[in-house]
């Protein structure tokens, strides 16, 4: 199997951090060409810094990290410190990163990488608001047919919303960007809350990370400990959903996930339902399918994969 070339577009975030670690621990399946940071969970100055902290934690100072857009296409930024803490990576004490941020803008890195590599060879993995991806598509529409696939975390159907009653955070923050991506014609695989709320941490699952006895294992355990308190209070669940690692796990073991190829459109005009992913799960319209919208995950196998791979770092 040749490793799939990917770019991770991200707003770390503890769960983004675990997703990046999973990618870096999986070189047989994943060739990480670069990381583009976007404003989301916390402002861009922190997300780009957090991406570098995570690369250094994995001993991968060579991964190029770029700063992308610092605000949604048409709206003010909404952040999620109430979930992720002030830094976005609250939990364990973290060192200042020393690896440099690359000078090129993240959007230009996306464009030049897609132009320079063969068509259909690069997969985009957005883990935050879709601002960078949409900005690249608007600035350079010629790259759109060159994208192999987009596998993203965002949206919800049966679980509806986590930031409003109707919307999931990543899509809510920049619905215009999401609309551009969902209409782009690029093959989309979507990991909505319907899936990620089944990938919950439990005490034995977090203990397994800690028992690895490594620095990355300890960090993942402490990040999830911190991140859990919000979802436990809100949903009364045993633990927290590890949303973003679902994207990377799908690249490694796609059989862990099941879903439907359906039409998914984004609400951009209503204030009440802004950012809702209107998913035609029951195929009640004749709208053309544009996304494989996942609905289920084998959570035990997902955590086994995660623990085994983090243990390699
Ligand atoms: C998404 O929003 C962020 O808080 C997480 O990192 C994840 O990408 C879940 O709604
Ligand atoms: Ca994220």
């Amino acid at each position: 199997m040749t490793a799939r070339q990917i770019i991770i577009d991200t707003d770390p975030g503890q769960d983004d951090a675990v997703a990046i670690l999973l990618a870096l621990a999986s070189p047989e399946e994943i060739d990480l060409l670069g990381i583009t940071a976007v404003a989301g969970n916390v402002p861009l100055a922190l997300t780009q810094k957090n991406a570098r902290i995570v690369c250094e934690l994995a001993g991968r100072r060579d991964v190029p990290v770029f700063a992308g857009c610092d605000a949604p296409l048409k709206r003010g930024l909404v952040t999620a410190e109430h979930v992720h803490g002030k830094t976005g990576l609250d939990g364990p004490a973290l060192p200042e990163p020393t690896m440099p941020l690359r000078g090129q803008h993240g959007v230009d890195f996306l464009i030049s990488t897609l132009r320079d590599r063969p068509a259909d060879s690069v997969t985009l993995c957005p883990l935050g608001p879709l601002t960078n991806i949409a900005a690249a598509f608007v600035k350079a529409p010629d790259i759109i047919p060159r994208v192999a696939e987009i596998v993203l975390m965002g949206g919800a159907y049966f679980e509806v919303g986590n930031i409003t009653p109707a919307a999931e955070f990543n899509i809510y923050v920049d619905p215009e960007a999401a609309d551009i991506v969902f209409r782009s014609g690029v093959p989309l695989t979507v990991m909505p809350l319907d899936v990620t709320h089944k990938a919950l941490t439990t005490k034995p699952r977090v203990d397994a990370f800690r028992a690895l006895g490594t620095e990355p294992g300890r960090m993942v355990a402490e990040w999830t400990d911190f991140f859990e308190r919000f979802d436990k209070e809100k949903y009364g669940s045993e633990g927290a959903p590890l949303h973003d690692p679902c994207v990377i796990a799908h690249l490694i073991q796609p059989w862990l996930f099941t879903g439907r190829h359906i039409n998914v459109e984004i609400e951009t005009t209503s204030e009440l339902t802004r950012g809702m992913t209107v998913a035609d799960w029951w195929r009640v319209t004749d709208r053309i399918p544009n996304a494989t919208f996942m609905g289920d995950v084998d959570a035990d196998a997902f955590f086994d994969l995660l623990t085994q791979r983090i243990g390699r770092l």
Side-chain angles (χ1 to χ4, degrees), residues 14-16 18-19 83 193 195-210 217-233 235-246 297-304 306-307 310:
Q14 292 90 347
D15 60 321
D16 302 70
V18 179
V83 183
L193 297 180
V195 169
T196 68
H197 281 182
K198 292 174 182 144
L200 294 178
T201 56
T202 59
K203 186 165 181 324
R205 288 169 178 169
V206 177
D207 286 347
F209 291 127
R210 203 172 273 113
R218 181 175 70 82
M219 291 291 178
V220 171
E222 291 188 20
W223 279 328
T224 47
D225 279 345
F226 179 87
F227 185 53
E228 268 184 7
R229 87 218 180 285
F230 176 77
D231 287 270
K232 279 180 172 167
E233 268 170 38
Y235 297 107
S237 53
E238 192 182 348
L242 277 185
H243 305 282
D244 295 336
C246 290
V297 56
D298 179 341
D300 285 332
F302 168 75
F303 276 93
D304 285 349
L306 209 48
T307 312
I310 299 295

Side-chain angles (χ1 to χ4, degrees), residues 10-17 40-41 80 83-84 126-129 153-155 162-163 167-171 173 191 193 196-197 227 241-244:
T10 177
D11 62 339
Q14 292 90 347
D15 60 321
D16 302 70
N41 286 322
V83 183
H84 300 274
L127 310 178
M153 191 279 137
N162 61 355
I163 185 76
E168 179 280 329
F169 178 79
N170 289 341
I171 307 295
V173 172
M191 293 293 165
L193 297 180
T196 68
H197 281 182
F227 185 53
L242 277 185
H243 305 282
D244 295 336

